[in-house]
Amino acid sequence: MKEYKTITRVAGPLIFVEKTDPVGYGELVKITMPNGDVKSGQVLDTSENMVVVQVFEGTSGIDLNSMVKFLGETIKLPVSDELLGRILNGAGKPIDGGPEVVPEELMEITGAAINPYARANPSDFIQTGISTIDGTNTLVRGQKLPLFSGSGLPHNEIALQIARQAKVRGSNEGFAIVFAAMGITNEESQRFITEFEETGALKRAVVFLNLADDPAVERLITPRMALTAAEYLAFRKGMHVLVILTDMTNYCESLREIGAARSEIPGRRGYPGYMYTDLAMLYERAGMIKGKKGSITQLPILTMVGDDITHPIPDLTGYITEGQIVISRELHSRNIYPPVDVLPSLSRLMNLGIGKGKTREDHKQVSDQLYAFYAEGKDLRGLVAIVGEESLSERERRILKFAADFEAKFVKQAKSEDRDIERTLEIGWRLLSELPENELTRISPELRKQHYGKH
Amino acid sequence: MAKTGKIFRVAGPVVVAELEAGMYDVCKVGKERLLGEVIQINGNHCTIQVYEDTTGIKPGEGVENTEQPLVVELGPGLLSSIYDGIQRPLQVLRNITGDFITRGATAPGIDRKRKWDFKAAVKPGAAVKGGDVLGTVRESETIMHKILVPPSVSGKVTSIADGSHTVTDTIGRLDNGTELRMMQLWPVRKPRPVKEKRLPDVPLITGQRIFDSLFPLAKGGVAAIPGPFGSGKTVAQQSLAKWCDADIIVYVGCGERGNEMTEVLTEFPELIDPKTGKPLMQRTILIANTSNMPVAAREASVYTGITMAEYYRDMGYSVALMADSTSRWAEAMREISSRLEEMPGEEGYPAYLSTRLSEFYERAGRVTTLSGTEGSVSVIGAVSPPGGDFSEPVTQNTLRVVKTFWALDAKLSQRRHFPSINWLTSYSLYFEPLAGWYEENVAPDWVEHVSRARFILQEEDKLLEIVQLVGSDALPEREQVTLLVARMFREFLLQQNAFHPVDTYSELKKTYLIMKTILHFADLAKIALDSGMRAQRVVAIKAKDRIAEVKFEKDYEKLLGDINKDLEKEFSGLK
């Protein structure tokens, strides 16, 4: 295999190589620096007279005397059962002191799209033990449901609580966990790993770590590695896999960095125009396949820049994922854990996973009714701030109280509290029973008769 | 002899090749012969957008120009199919490549082996021209597929006969030697010709109360549903696809979620068309190019869809096309444009965005077909504005061409008001042209009722501003009752549960009677207030609460009859 010493330009994370034999798009590249260090990269643009390579470990130390070798293949992840329990770096190399993974197979990390015709409709209710998720924004197997959070909010605790408590009722199978860290701090990553060790989850987990001081460009392959491992475990080994990706904001920053280095025409806020497609290539790798036992459920975490949900990262994510769980700074500052703001939160697949035979017949209607009153209650709070509570009607005062109770009893729970769905609905009914029965317009008369005031 | 060339450069979905070609020629790229389309010519270099992943393709590999534009295959067998953006049947692809879509897999859009019973409608000796019906094939239990003479063909039939044929068999001949087949090809970017375009004056009945009453869409009309994520675009689109009274539905999932397409795929075959009593899938064509499938095929998917829609229109059917979402289509254009390093317009979108959007929407319409019958294509495009901001280019350029605007509102969806269509910002310019139809076919006072409902809802908006300042108790009695009636309209009429077996579809009569009952209550309340009654006692009327049950009730006429009687009884008891 030929080596080239024809680097003509280095810019940010990119190197430009001239006078090569034909090089394939997306090929893996090895760069040997004069001091003998080796870096790896990938072809971003190839033509007869110039090849552009993005270098995963950053370009520091690369000069015009560095040697470039094109490997003639794309990036692959060695996969086998042995991946479980291992900690790897963002590029898929073990960093836990253990041996190299002996591959059963090498899998392309880009991943192909699941044929929509081959997909199975996700419909298995996952009980997370958190009322605001189970009760009002239900997660189902095969869903991608991100946590929209902000810096300083307890999204990691929530993700860990979900990972710890998540189960499908009536089945003993636990979830295998694939955890991909992108640019999070060492401290945060340690907390995840300690928790995985303590709960014994590490045995069933594959951990990919790209920390804050690791090369930023490597972040672009970390989630792809993780999802490839997840696909292997789910669709080859029949496991139910929960993938936690944190923090997607750092991933997108890296994407922007590459775009800028290539002098591409930027889209909104400088992010590349293809960010939607790029994110979709990751998120869409969740799902279930007809006739296959396993599933991939995704729980990406992203911190919203300035808590702005219209920022391109949460915005594009929300258009791809099947809903979102929004973490609220306001609830957090009032010491309510988990500070999930149910109003902007949503689970699009909720209706597939709930109801008679899955959770309970009244689930949907209770959820809608809670939503409706809580939304009204929150509006009234704004009104009270202007006109005072005295000028409210009797009904409005009751709803105002409902909103407060809802936050204190339904939303708030302990970090170790694992509420089953019956308990969650029971709390819901108790709150609703404080209001006159004829106000429950979202609930059918029969269900009202069955549950109103009975809990 | 096909023209060939070689690849010069590869960058993502865009490939530059040294090749002699015309604009929009379809090419086979590289060793794997990936399908692509020429989108720019620069000297002897032309730029090709490739419909599949280009990883591993090298400069120097060959390119073959087919010298044909991108075409779709039209003929019996389209219905009940599910295709990707360039008409590859996904069901067949699964058999070839497995659960994941890999590169280079091809399969014809229409099954070549399946035989159809063709019944000739013309006799040898007849003179035919483009668009004339040669014969029929029963494509599904509900749809009779008419085999049309391709638009550019005409002549005298020398032979034609009934029989069982595949779509590529010769079913007859013309005197000029043209062989007639059941399948024809049509370039996707070129509108199929019609005799004339006509003004739409028949409503597309959707079974959704807010659309049918306040913001109707005409058959052959165009509507846009913009809304931020989570506001219910997809549910609204799917409800329309399920229940609207078009003969044929083309549903284009353009850059959207895989799981959502699966939901459609699982659900549609089980749903029964209220009009025909047959599975809805029998009238539906699905085009699924999910967000992680190649971006160039996403760009092509809406054209593939509308061409199929036009084909069925030419048979004299009313067709409704749902495009979810046109923003993803626009983004595909932006992505490709930026790879071409074109000078961008607003927000990085290409300067030709507006032209492309209006060209696409103009392919909708109610028409007289070439053979003289009437057909229509209605287009309902979902728009996904970033951050829910309607001032962005895709929404704005769409608004310039559409006549019905269904604005989704995240605030409403957060309070679980579904469909979360904002009744204050939405509009329909078809309301007046369709008034006559409604008055004739539903009730003479339909327009009056809808106008009153609209007025009360607008009134509520003004009053709520005052309430924000002084509290609701400070309002005069009459206004308090107005607020109550407006709330009844919102909860009992506008809200509709797409997941409830009865409420998911509301016939026009039901919509009308609910409106009428609420207005009846309003009238009785007005009389009571005029005679000095306190608003509190009107609010306490019990019978009105039962209107909430009507939407879930099959035998709604009886229930409403009872409620109306009880209302009158309760009101007369007040005195």
Side-chain angles (χ1 to χ4, degrees), chain A residues 206-225:
Chain A
V206 192
V207 178
F208 291 84
L209 292 181
N210 168 287
L211 301 182
D213 56 350
D214 286 335
V217 187
E218 195 183 88
R219 266 160 227 169
L220 295 178
I221 50 173
T222 307
R224 295 188 161 80
M225 294 269 172

PDB file of all heavy atoms in Angstrom, chain A residues 206-225:
ATOM      1  N   VAL A 206     -21.743  -1.744  27.495  1.00  0.00           N
ATOM      2  CA  VAL A 206     -20.572  -1.400  26.705  1.00  0.00           C
ATOM      3  C   VAL A 206     -20.413   0.105  26.830  1.00  0.00           C
ATOM      4  O   VAL A 206     -21.365   0.846  26.585  1.00  0.00           O
ATOM      5  CB  VAL A 206     -20.737  -1.749  25.213  1.00  0.00           C
ATOM      6  CG1 VAL A 206     -19.409  -1.638  24.495  1.00  0.00           C
ATOM      7  CG2 VAL A 206     -21.341  -3.126  25.047  1.00  0.00           C
ATOM      8  N   VAL A 207     -19.247   0.554  27.252  1.00  0.00           N
ATOM      9  CA  VAL A 207     -19.058   1.978  27.511  1.00  0.00           C
ATOM     10  C   VAL A 207     -18.045   2.557  26.522  1.00  0.00           C
ATOM     11  O   VAL A 207     -16.950   2.024  26.364  1.00  0.00           O
ATOM     12  CB  VAL A 207     -18.575   2.196  28.961  1.00  0.00           C
ATOM     13  CG1 VAL A 207     -18.325   3.675  29.221  1.00  0.00           C
ATOM     14  CG2 VAL A 207     -19.589   1.641  29.945  1.00  0.00           C
ATOM     15  N   PHE A 208     -18.440   3.622  25.846  1.00  0.00           N
ATOM     16  CA  PHE A 208     -17.538   4.338  24.944  1.00  0.00           C
ATOM     17  C   PHE A 208     -17.298   5.714  25.530  1.00  0.00           C
ATOM     18  O   PHE A 208     -18.256   6.447  25.777  1.00  0.00           O
ATOM     19  CB  PHE A 208     -18.152   4.501  23.550  1.00  0.00           C
ATOM     20  CG  PHE A 208     -18.282   3.220  22.796  1.00  0.00           C
ATOM     21  CD1 PHE A 208     -19.373   2.388  22.990  1.00  0.00           C
ATOM     22  CD2 PHE A 208     -17.308   2.833  21.887  1.00  0.00           C
ATOM     23  CE1 PHE A 208     -19.500   1.207  22.293  1.00  0.00           C
ATOM     24  CE2 PHE A 208     -17.424   1.644  21.185  1.00  0.00           C
ATOM     25  CZ  PHE A 208     -18.519   0.834  21.383  1.00  0.00           C
ATOM     26  N   LEU A 209     -16.042   6.062  25.777  1.00  0.00           N
ATOM     27  CA  LEU A 209     -15.771   7.336  26.421  1.00  0.00           C
ATOM     28  C   LEU A 209     -14.954   8.251  25.541  1.00  0.00           C
ATOM     29  O   LEU A 209     -13.828   7.933  25.173  1.00  0.00           O
ATOM     30  CB  LEU A 209     -15.008   7.120  27.725  1.00  0.00           C
ATOM     31  CG  LEU A 209     -15.725   6.430  28.881  1.00  0.00           C
ATOM     32  CD1 LEU A 209     -14.790   6.352  30.064  1.00  0.00           C
ATOM     33  CD2 LEU A 209     -16.982   7.188  29.251  1.00  0.00           C
ATOM     34  N   ASN A 210     -15.533   9.380  25.177  1.00  0.00           N
ATOM     35  CA  ASN A 210     -14.756  10.455  24.593  1.00  0.00           C
ATOM     36  C   ASN A 210     -14.954  11.616  25.539  1.00  0.00           C
ATOM     37  O   ASN A 210     -16.035  12.187  25.626  1.00  0.00           O
ATOM     38  CB  ASN A 210     -15.271  10.793  23.190  1.00  0.00           C
ATOM     39  CG  ASN A 210     -14.691  12.092  22.676  1.00  0.00           C
ATOM     40  OD1 ASN A 210     -15.076  13.155  23.150  1.00  0.00           O
ATOM     41  ND2 ASN A 210     -13.777  12.024  21.761  1.00  0.00           N
ATOM     42  N   LEU A 211     -13.930  11.922  26.325  1.00  0.00           N
ATOM     43  CA  LEU A 211     -14.095  12.921  27.376  1.00  0.00           C
ATOM     44  C   LEU A 211     -13.772  14.311  26.864  1.00  0.00           C
ATOM     45  O   LEU A 211     -13.318  14.490  25.730  1.00  0.00           O
ATOM     46  CB  LEU A 211     -13.233  12.550  28.579  1.00  0.00           C
ATOM     47  CG  LEU A 211     -13.592  11.172  29.161  1.00  0.00           C
ATOM     48  CD1 LEU A 211     -12.751  10.878  30.381  1.00  0.00           C
ATOM     49  CD2 LEU A 211     -15.075  11.074  29.495  1.00  0.00           C
ATOM     50  N   ALA A 212     -14.019  15.277  27.746  1.00  0.00           N
ATOM     51  CA  ALA A 212     -13.897  16.678  27.349  1.00  0.00           C
ATOM     52  C   ALA A 212     -12.518  17.009  26.781  1.00  0.00           C
ATOM     53  O   ALA A 212     -12.396  17.860  25.904  1.00  0.00           O
ATOM     54  CB  ALA A 212     -14.209  17.574  28.547  1.00  0.00           C
ATOM     55  N   ASP A 213     -11.468  16.318  27.280  1.00  0.00           N
ATOM     56  CA  ASP A 213     -10.134  16.648  26.783  1.00  0.00           C
ATOM     57  C   ASP A 213      -9.683  15.707  25.665  1.00  0.00           C
ATOM     58  O   ASP A 213      -8.549  15.758  25.228  1.00  0.00           O
ATOM     59  CB  ASP A 213      -9.122  16.650  27.940  1.00  0.00           C
ATOM     60  CG  ASP A 213      -9.121  15.329  28.686  1.00  0.00           C
ATOM     61  OD1 ASP A 213     -10.028  14.510  28.422  1.00  0.00           O
ATOM     62  OD2 ASP A 213      -8.229  15.115  29.525  1.00  0.00           O
ATOM     63  N   ASP A 214     -10.563  14.828  25.227  1.00  0.00           N
ATOM     64  CA  ASP A 214     -10.232  13.984  24.086  1.00  0.00           C
ATOM     65  C   ASP A 214     -10.476  14.761  22.790  1.00  0.00           C
ATOM     66  O   ASP A 214     -11.203  15.740  22.796  1.00  0.00           O
ATOM     67  CB  ASP A 214     -11.096  12.712  24.093  1.00  0.00           C
ATOM     68  CG  ASP A 214     -10.648  11.735  25.174  1.00  0.00           C
ATOM     69  OD1 ASP A 214      -9.463  11.807  25.553  1.00  0.00           O
ATOM     70  OD2 ASP A 214     -11.484  10.952  25.639  1.00  0.00           O
ATOM     71  N   PRO A 215      -9.872  14.291  21.676  1.00  0.00           N
ATOM     72  CA  PRO A 215     -10.024  15.045  20.429  1.00  0.00           C
ATOM     73  C   PRO A 215     -11.496  15.223  20.047  1.00  0.00           C
ATOM     74  O   PRO A 215     -12.290  14.278  20.124  1.00  0.00           O
ATOM     75  CB  PRO A 215      -9.328  14.167  19.388  1.00  0.00           C
ATOM     76  CG  PRO A 215      -8.512  13.212  20.151  1.00  0.00           C
ATOM     77  CD  PRO A 215      -9.054  13.099  21.512  1.00  0.00           C
ATOM     78  N   ALA A 216     -11.841  16.454  19.668  1.00  0.00           N
ATOM     79  CA  ALA A 216     -13.239  16.776  19.371  1.00  0.00           C
ATOM     80  C   ALA A 216     -13.747  16.021  18.148  1.00  0.00           C
ATOM     81  O   ALA A 216     -14.899  15.604  18.096  1.00  0.00           O
ATOM     82  CB  ALA A 216     -13.379  18.276  19.174  1.00  0.00           C
ATOM     83  N   VAL A 217     -12.884  15.836  17.158  1.00  0.00           N
ATOM     84  CA  VAL A 217     -13.346  15.211  15.921  1.00  0.00           C
ATOM     85  C   VAL A 217     -13.702  13.745  16.139  1.00  0.00           C
ATOM     86  O   VAL A 217     -14.567  13.186  15.488  1.00  0.00           O
ATOM     87  CB  VAL A 217     -12.284  15.357  14.821  1.00  0.00           C
ATOM     88  CG1 VAL A 217     -12.816  14.873  13.506  1.00  0.00           C
ATOM     89  CG2 VAL A 217     -11.855  16.793  14.708  1.00  0.00           C
ATOM     90  N   GLU A 218     -13.029  13.139  17.121  1.00  0.00           N
ATOM     91  CA  GLU A 218     -13.311  11.742  17.444  1.00  0.00           C
ATOM     92  C   GLU A 218     -14.774  11.571  17.844  1.00  0.00           C
ATOM     93  O   GLU A 218     -15.375  10.520  17.652  1.00  0.00           O
ATOM     94  CB  GLU A 218     -12.399  11.319  18.595  1.00  0.00           C
ATOM     95  CG  GLU A 218     -12.306   9.836  18.820  1.00  0.00           C
ATOM     96  CD  GLU A 218     -11.439   9.540  20.039  1.00  0.00           C
ATOM     97  OE1 GLU A 218     -11.977   9.496  21.154  1.00  0.00           O
ATOM     98  OE2 GLU A 218     -10.221   9.377  19.869  1.00  0.00           O
ATOM     99  N   ARG A 219     -15.354  12.639  18.391  1.00  0.00           N
ATOM    100  CA  ARG A 219     -16.756  12.605  18.814  1.00  0.00           C
ATOM    101  C   ARG A 219     -17.699  12.247  17.667  1.00  0.00           C
ATOM    102  O   ARG A 219     -18.808  11.788  17.885  1.00  0.00           O
ATOM    103  CB  ARG A 219     -17.162  13.993  19.326  1.00  0.00           C
ATOM    104  CG  ARG A 219     -16.998  14.113  20.788  1.00  0.00           C
ATOM    105  CD  ARG A 219     -16.914  15.544  21.234  1.00  0.00           C
ATOM    106  NE  ARG A 219     -15.781  15.625  22.155  1.00  0.00           N
ATOM    107  CZ  ARG A 219     -15.262  16.735  22.595  1.00  0.00           C
ATOM    108  NH1 ARG A 219     -15.751  17.902  22.211  1.00  0.00           N
ATOM    109  NH2 ARG A 219     -14.258  16.712  23.431  1.00  0.00           N
ATOM    110  N   LEU A 220     -17.251  12.526  16.450  1.00  0.00           N
ATOM    111  CA  LEU A 220     -18.129  12.241  15.307  1.00  0.00           C
ATOM    112  C   LEU A 220     -18.271  10.740  15.083  1.00  0.00           C
ATOM    113  O   LEU A 220     -19.255  10.293  14.514  1.00  0.00           O
ATOM    114  CB  LEU A 220     -17.584  12.909  14.046  1.00  0.00           C
ATOM    115  CG  LEU A 220     -17.569  14.439  14.091  1.00  0.00           C
ATOM    116  CD1 LEU A 220     -16.962  14.999  12.827  1.00  0.00           C
ATOM    117  CD2 LEU A 220     -18.982  14.967  14.274  1.00  0.00           C
ATOM    118  N   ILE A 221     -17.277   9.969  15.533  1.00  0.00           N
ATOM    119  CA  ILE A 221     -17.429   8.521  15.325  1.00  0.00           C
ATOM    120  C   ILE A 221     -17.902   7.802  16.581  1.00  0.00           C
ATOM    121  O   ILE A 221     -18.436   6.695  16.504  1.00  0.00           O
ATOM    122  CB  ILE A 221     -16.153   7.851  14.759  1.00  0.00           C
ATOM    123  CG1 ILE A 221     -14.940   8.236  15.581  1.00  0.00           C
ATOM    124  CG2 ILE A 221     -15.962   8.157  13.298  1.00  0.00           C
ATOM    125  CD1 ILE A 221     -13.693   7.465  15.157  1.00  0.00           C
ATOM    126  N   THR A 222     -17.762   8.424  17.752  1.00  0.00           N
ATOM    127  CA  THR A 222     -18.151   7.744  18.994  1.00  0.00           C
ATOM    128  C   THR A 222     -19.594   7.219  18.966  1.00  0.00           C
ATOM    129  O   THR A 222     -19.814   6.035  19.223  1.00  0.00           O
ATOM    130  CB  THR A 222     -17.931   8.684  20.197  1.00  0.00           C
ATOM    131  OG1 THR A 222     -16.601   9.165  20.147  1.00  0.00           O
ATOM    132  CG2 THR A 222     -18.178   7.965  21.503  1.00  0.00           C
ATOM    133  N   PRO A 223     -20.597   8.074  18.644  1.00  0.00           N
ATOM    134  CA  PRO A 223     -21.966   7.537  18.658  1.00  0.00           C
ATOM    135  C   PRO A 223     -22.164   6.462  17.597  1.00  0.00           C
ATOM    136  O   PRO A 223     -22.964   5.545  17.774  1.00  0.00           O
ATOM    137  CB  PRO A 223     -22.835   8.755  18.365  1.00  0.00           C
ATOM    138  CG  PRO A 223     -21.944   9.747  17.734  1.00  0.00           C
ATOM    139  CD  PRO A 223     -20.577   9.500  18.297  1.00  0.00           C
ATOM    140  N   ARG A 224     -21.434   6.550  16.499  1.00  0.00           N
ATOM    141  CA  ARG A 224     -21.585   5.543  15.441  1.00  0.00           C
ATOM    142  C   ARG A 224     -21.044   4.202  15.907  1.00  0.00           C
ATOM    143  O   ARG A 224     -21.599   3.150  15.631  1.00  0.00           O
ATOM    144  CB  ARG A 224     -20.894   6.012  14.162  1.00  0.00           C
ATOM    145  CG  ARG A 224     -21.556   7.260  13.594  1.00  0.00           C
ATOM    146  CD  ARG A 224     -21.038   7.652  12.225  1.00  0.00           C
ATOM    147  NE  ARG A 224     -22.005   8.540  11.583  1.00  0.00           N
ATOM    148  CZ  ARG A 224     -22.114   9.830  11.842  1.00  0.00           C
ATOM    149  NH1 ARG A 224     -21.312  10.399  12.710  1.00  0.00           N
ATOM    150  NH2 ARG A 224     -23.034  10.568  11.235  1.00  0.00           N
ATOM    151  N   MET A 225     -19.906   4.264  16.636  1.00  0.00           N
ATOM    152  CA  MET A 225     -19.351   3.046  17.242  1.00  0.00           C
ATOM    153  C   MET A 225     -20.395   2.435  18.190  1.00  0.00           C
ATOM    154  O   MET A 225     -20.683   1.245  18.147  1.00  0.00           O
ATOM    155  CB  MET A 225     -18.107   3.403  18.072  1.00  0.00           C
ATOM    156  CG  MET A 225     -16.953   3.919  17.272  1.00  0.00           C
ATOM    157  SD  MET A 225     -15.916   2.543  16.814  1.00  0.00           S
ATOM    158  CE  MET A 225     -14.767   3.307  15.705  1.00  0.00           C
TER     159      MET A 225
END
